[in-house]
Amino acid sequence: MSERRLDARLVVPALPPRHISRPRLLAELDRAAARPLILAAAGPGAGKTVLLSDWVTRTQAPVAWITVTPADAEPLRFWRLLRAALQACGQPVQALPAVTPHGDTVERVQALLGSLPAVPVPPVLIIDDAHQIGRAHV
């Protein structure tokens, strides 16, 4: 029997053994979770991924996590990755948005999330290293 492995880009990174929890920032994420878009911006090494990983361990919401690589800027590859992330957290996604050379990625992601079946607790989508995706590419 073969066991199918989940793509590593869809796995929430493990917390480092000596991470320091940031209760104030975790509370801010709790308050902001209902908003359609949150941007966690800070310099390299500031702890954004650790903070988000810590928050995921505490939330009751289903989480679709994507760690983006430069290769994921290719539109079809990105949308397939997004669908796989949503499916991994239990969301049925059939159709992908039309891949066009231009368009606002944030609006298309919001439209895709809005098209998901209604559930009591909607999924939270986290795109780690989103800067790897150029606006004009996806």
Side-chain angles (χ1 to χ4, degrees):
M1 178 194 239
S2 69
E3 183 179 314
R4 190 169 180 194
R5 295 191 179 204
L6 189 61
D7 186 327
R9 295 170 298 169
L10 305 179
V11 176
V12 177
L15 291 171
R18 294 186 178 175
H19 90 283
I20 296 172
S21 190
R22 316 257 322 255
R24 185 183 63 77
L25 293 176
L26 292 168
E28 286 293 325
L29 286 173
D30 285 338
R31 282 190 287 281
R35 296 183 183 196
L37 177 67
I38 304 166
L39 174 64
K48 299 175 295 292
T49 299
V50 172
L51 174 67
L52 291 169
S53 295
D54 193 8
W55 183 80
V56 168
T57 66
R58 299 161 187 267
T59 187
Q60 298 298 313
V63 175
W65 182 286
I66 302 173
T67 300
V68 178
T69 67
D72 298 323
E74 191 276 315
L76 191 53
R77 183 173 169 146
F78 172 78
W79 291 110
R80 285 180 178 157
L81 187 63
L82 176 58
R83 178 173 54 189
L86 290 167
Q87 289 172 333
C89 80
Q91 298 301 308
V93 180
Q94 303 303 324
L96 292 172
V99 177
T100 59
H102 302 291
D104 186 7
T105 302
V106 172
E107 288 176 8
R108 287 192 280 174
V109 169
Q110 287 177 324
L112 177 64
L113 294 176
S115 72
L116 295 175
V119 291
V121 181
V124 174
L125 171 63
I126 296 176
I127 304 176
D128 194 22
D129 289 335
H131 66 277
Q132 301 283 357
I133 301 173
R135 181 182 179 103
H137 296 96
V138 180

